Amino acid sequence: MTRYVLRRLALGLVQVLVVAVVIFLLTAWLPGDAATVLAGDNPNQQAIDAIRRQLGLDRPLLERLGQWLADLARGDLGRSLLSGRPVGSLLVERLPVSALLAVCSLVMVVSLAIGLSVAAANREGSRFDRALTSVLLAVYSVPEFVIVVLWVAVLAGLLGLLPPTAVGLGGPFTHPVLLVLPVLALAVRPVCSHTRIMRAALLEALRSDYVAHARRVGLAEWRVQLTHAMPNALAPSVQHLARVAEALLAGTLVVESIYGLNGLGSLLAEAVARRDLPLIQGTVTLAAAVTILLNLGADLVARHLSPTAVGGR
Amino acid sequence: MSPLFDRRRSIGALGVFGATLLTGGCARGSVNPTPSGVAGQPKKGGRLRVAFSGAGITESLDPRLNSMYLDGARGKAMFDKLLAFGGDMAPVGRLAEHWEAGPDQQVWRFRLRQAEFHDGRPVKASDALDSIAAVLSTPKAVAAQQYRGIDLRASRAVEDRTLEIRLRTPNSEFPDVMCSYGTEVMPGGKMDPAKPVGSGPFQFVAHRPGETTLLSRFDNYWEGPAHFDELEFIVANDAGARIQALGAGQVDYVDDVSLTSARTMDRRSDMRIYRLPLGSHRSFVMKCDRPPFNNPDVRMAMKLLADRNELRRAVLHDTGRLGNDLFGGPGQHYFAADLPQREMDRERARSLLRKAGAEGLAFTLDTSDSSSGMKEAAISLADQAAQVGVKVSINLLGKENYWSETLEKGVMSSYGGGAMPIGQHFATRTISAATNNYSRWNNAEVDELYRKVLQTSDEDQRGKLYHRMQELHHAEGGHLVWGIGDYLVAASAKVAGIDAAAPTNSLQWSRFDRVWLNS
């Protein structure tokens, strides 16, 4: 197991580096850079060149990439081009909001998905099951940015139950009510996908020989489901949960920006808009590392729950 | 991004020149005009929460480094400049109570008023000089270009309250430079980002980049203390989120409101929309140094085929004014209001195109979502051009680098900018040496007239020179200015004292020390 974990971690490190290099090159090839952003609508070449020199953007691309990688090896993510602040501390400032948003969304996804999938799987083919499946499919087809706008329109605009935006209210740590709309927006699609996967896994487990055997020996139905069917159903769904977490990370980029929350998502959006390369690099590297760790964690949990289902990856 | 020119630094985007009207060097209007939207007796206390678009986490409290409207508004809350633009975009005194030029327009003396920094130190001429030096040593500082005409070594603090600035070349418009973005005076020219000290009406309390800045009233402000105890700047880049926050009572004042939001919000009794004049000129710019627009007849044909009324209806929702292919607008000092309004005349446009051998003309118009309505205006103009047989293809560019992409390339592009003095429009956009001469117009007569402007101290004479320059620009220039949009801000109905007549970038715009809450 230790060798497996070490191998995955080493592979993950390579993946993070590849992602970082690709993002560096792609961002560098985008038209414009931080100097043109700073020059604004006063973009005469002399001014842009002076700013470029001051920001060190006149150095060759590969030299800057090499420097960035060398700094990264020392745990230094560099400094934001435009604010001059260390990227690491900017990430630390913005991480808590995104993490809180992701964790709350994940809790909502897991609890709703388990409840709904158990209810549907035990009523397979019923009117409830068919209605739920149709609704989940329909809702899943709506993108996050539409969902968040709809939630805001209904819950904040029409009913006046929640603040329509976080602007002027600070963050979710001081005003927890600010979490409700973003979490609802972020969780809706993952609830749909995760419920469908869990329902299918549960159905397969409930039809299995070991569940039939448990029932034959007279175990109570709740015990059959909880201790025999559920663990086996959870194995594939835990791996899917890692995908859900990745989707949540991506979703925060849109939801935070629309709702006015200051998290990693809105940070990345700002960094891209202003071509702040070190900040983009730092944020993407962190996101890549989290994604890889989540997948590794999910695989390990799945192996633990059902060693045969996961195989020897 | 929000409606027109979220970062309307236009004021900060100039050369070393400027436009103004200093007669023989006398301080012109050191008394600030009274706000026109004032209602009732001012009340003390409370916190005013104002929402602006900002540079996000990359923003800096140092107003010398950025030129978004947030930086302008926050800068004037915490700091002071020597001068500022009045409602007609001519300089009025701030820290400088008097200013004058020597006979050669090359040496300027500023007499500072008695004022103090938030830490109790008096504001001295040496602080102003150090602040200029700090900007000159920082290429990315907004005012670095404006200051390049200053001979720093030959400039000096004559005494504690007298500053002498020597220029490399004569410039009768130099006071405009000292009104521009990024010219704030700081103690010793330095700013500690952890605890900035200025001489403005509010002093620093706390700051979270990209989120909020909290300030408190400075009771020793030279112009008298502000009405509010506290002022909080809240950064919200989404225009919709800003107006929603105002509607929900989460903020009290919102900068940069879209025309669509304004139409909706106009019906609400709990908030007011303010339409600030001269907010932005809406235009297209043709490059005069290359075909097809190196032919003045083709440029004039484009100006004549445009249906300005339709553009104003479609893009400005019937607000603002029609443009007359000139920068600035009525009420602005030196504006040539007597030049006849250019009307649509498609027959003449066809005839000019025939004369130029440009029938069936086809070209690409670069545009962007950089400002609201820009792309829509471009599409509308393309439709109008098609009616006289001109084929215009729209090329949508990214907004992040739109301005740098269109400075050199292409033949025609969407253009626009905020309020600034007529002279600065010429200095930065129209003379052949202008840093932002998007039109590549090279008119020897205009260049010569502007050279004379800079050397003459007589205001009437300068007025005549500017008038002639505007005549030439109107007749031959590369700008099709079809509209002058209002700049919209909104506030809770409880907020009083907002000057609804103050153009953006002028002194009374975003003067949060002069407003109060009525409840």
Side-chain angles (χ1 to χ4, degrees), chain A residues 42 44 165 167 262 270 273, chain B residues 57-58 140 145 211 250 400:
Chain A
N42 177 29
N44 67 79
T165 169
V167 172
N262 295 308
E270 288 164 14
Chain B
I57 198 123
T58 61
K140 69 176 180 177
Q145 272 190 282
E211 298 179 29
Q250 293 165 210
E400 288 77 18

Side-chain angles (χ1 to χ4, degrees), chain A residues 30-33 36-48 50-51 53-55 80-85 90-91 93-94 97 149 152-153 162-171 178 257-260 262-263 266-267 270-276 279, chain B residues 1 5 7-10 12-14 49 51 54-60 65-68 137-142 145-146 148 208-212 232 234-238 240-242 244-245 248 250-251 400-401 403-405 407-408 416-417 429 435-436 438:
Chain A
L30 280 175
D33 59 14
T36 57
V37 170
L38 270 175
D41 61 357
N42 177 29
N44 67 79
Q45 203 53 47
Q46 196 185 353
I48 293 176
I51 296 169
R53 275 194 300 277
Q54 194 183 27
L55 298 179
S80 155
L81 283 181
L82 297 173
S83 72
R85 299 177 62 204
L90 290 174
L91 296 180
E93 265 177 35
R94 293 293 190 105
V97 169
V149 170
V152 169
L162 296 164
T165 169
V167 172
L169 291 179
L178 292 177
S257 296
I258 292 178
Y259 201 62
N262 295 308
S266 50
L267 178 70
E270 288 164 14
V272 171
R274 300 179 72 76
R275 303 285 190 273
D276 196 327
L279 195 49
Chain B
M1 266 195 232
F5 311 126
R7 5 178 327 160
R8 262 338 64 138
R9 51 263 145 154
S10 307
L14 17 123
R49 300 160 300 170
I57 198 123
T58 61
E59 73 166 327
S60 163
L65 300 182
N66 289 294
S67 55
M68 296 181 78
S137 63
T138 312
K140 69 176 180 177
V142 179
Q145 272 190 282
Q146 288 100 298
R148 70 185 174 180
R208 282 178 67 86
E211 298 179 29
T212 67
E232 184 181 12
I234 294 158
V235 178
N237 287 338
D238 187 276
R242 286 198 298 275
Q244 281 176 340
Q250 293 165 210
V251 297
E400 288 77 18
N401 58 330
W403 300 107
S404 58
E405 278 287 298
L407 179 59
E408 308 276 353
R429 295 175 165 149
T435 48
N436 282 348
Y438 280 76

Side-chain angles (χ1 to χ4, degrees), chain A residues 191-204:
Chain A
V191 164
C192 297
S193 61
H194 204 60
T195 302
R196 292 176 65 213
I197 283 182
M198 280 207 63
R199 175 186 167 278
L202 254 179
L203 280 176
E204 196 181 331

Side-chain angles (χ1 to χ4, degrees), chain A residues 209-271:
Chain A
D209 290 343
Y210 54 85
V211 166
H213 178 74
R215 282 177 175 146
R216 274 198 301 277
V217 297
L219 288 179
E221 184 59 20
W222 66 267
R223 201 163 168 189
V224 170
Q225 295 213 8
L226 198 66
T227 60
H228 292 266
M230 189 60 83
N232 283 286
L234 277 177
S237 77
V238 163
Q239 284 170 315
H240 178 257
L241 214 51
R243 310 286 112 71
V244 168
E246 291 165 26
L248 289 176
L249 273 177
T252 58
L253 193 138
V254 176
V255 171
E256 286 175 6
S257 296
I258 292 178
Y259 201 62
L261 285 172
N262 295 308
L264 282 178
S266 50
L267 178 70
L268 181 59
E270 288 164 14

Side-chain angles (χ1 to χ4, degrees), chain A:
Chain A
M1 178 64 104
T2 310
R3 281 188 63 188
Y4 170 76
V5 172
L6 288 175
R7 204 174 70 232
R8 287 288 303 273
L9 282 175
L11 185 65
L13 191 63
V14 173
Q15 287 170 319
V16 169
L17 286 175
V18 169
V19 168
V21 170
V22 168
I23 292 293
F24 186 93
L25 296 174
L26 285 178
T27 313
W29 283 329
L30 280 175
D33 59 14
T36 57
V37 170
L38 270 175
D41 61 357
N42 177 29
N44 67 79
Q45 203 53 47
Q46 196 185 353
I48 293 176
D49 289 345
I51 296 169
R52 208 165 266 155
R53 275 194 300 277
Q54 194 183 27
L55 298 179
L57 295 173
D58 56 337
R59 290 184 298 147
L61 188 66
L62 288 181
E63 184 187 322
R64 283 189 285 140
L65 176 61
Q67 182 65 51
W68 186 81
L69 289 172
D71 290 344
L72 183 67
R74 293 195 301 273
D76 179 3
L77 288 169
R79 284 178 179 270
S80 155
L81 283 181
L82 297 173
S83 72
R85 299 177 62 204
V87 169
S89 66
L90 290 174
L91 296 180
V92 168
E93 265 177 35
R94 293 293 190 105
L95 182 62
V97 169
S98 299
L100 181 66
L101 209 55
V103 168
C104 291
S105 304
L106 212 53
V107 169
M108 187 167 169
V109 170
V110 171
S111 46
L112 272 178
I114 288 179
L116 289 172
S117 60
V118 168
N122 281 288
R123 293 170 182 76
E124 188 193 2
S126 69
R127 199 173 285 175
F128 170 78
D129 184 33
R130 279 181 282 137
L132 183 70
T133 306
S134 305
V135 169
L136 293 177
L137 196 60
V139 175
Y140 186 72
S141 61
V142 185
E144 267 104 357
F145 71 88
V146 176
I147 292 171
V148 70
V149 170
L150 285 175
W151 279 133
V152 169
V154 174
L155 295 177
L158 199 64
L159 304 175
L161 297 174
L162 296 164
T165 169
V167 172
L169 291 179
F173 290 101
T174 52
H175 289 80
V177 69
L178 292 177
L179 280 172
V180 179
L181 277 175
V183 165
L184 283 176
L186 279 174
V188 164
R189 296 185 76 236
V191 164
C192 297
S193 61
H194 204 60
T195 302
R196 292 176 65 213
I197 283 182
M198 280 207 63
R199 175 186 167 278
L202 254 179
L203 280 176
E204 196 181 331
L206 288 171
R207 290 185 195 123
S208 65
D209 290 343
Y210 54 85
V211 166
H213 178 74
R215 282 177 175 146
R216 274 198 301 277
V217 297
L219 288 179
E221 184 59 20
W222 66 267
R223 201 163 168 189
V224 170
Q225 295 213 8
L226 198 66
T227 60
H228 292 266
M230 189 60 83
N232 283 286
L234 277 177
S237 77
V238 163
Q239 284 170 315
H240 178 257
L241 214 51
R243 310 286 112 71
V244 168
E246 291 165 26
L248 289 176
L249 273 177
T252 58
L253 193 138
V254 176
V255 171
E256 286 175 6
S257 296
I258 292 178
Y259 201 62
L261 285 172
N262 295 308
L264 282 178
S266 50
L267 178 70
L268 181 59
E270 288 164 14
V272 171
R274 300 179 72 76
R275 303 285 190 273
D276 196 327
L277 194 48
L279 195 49
I280 297 172
Q281 287 288 96
T283 316
V284 171
T285 304
L286 176 67
V290 168
T291 304
I292 285 162
L293 287 175
L294 278 172
N295 277 292
L296 176 59
D299 285 354
L300 292 176
V301 172
R303 281 169 73 102
H304 177 72
L305 286 171
S306 179
T308 52
V310 180
R313 283 198 300 153

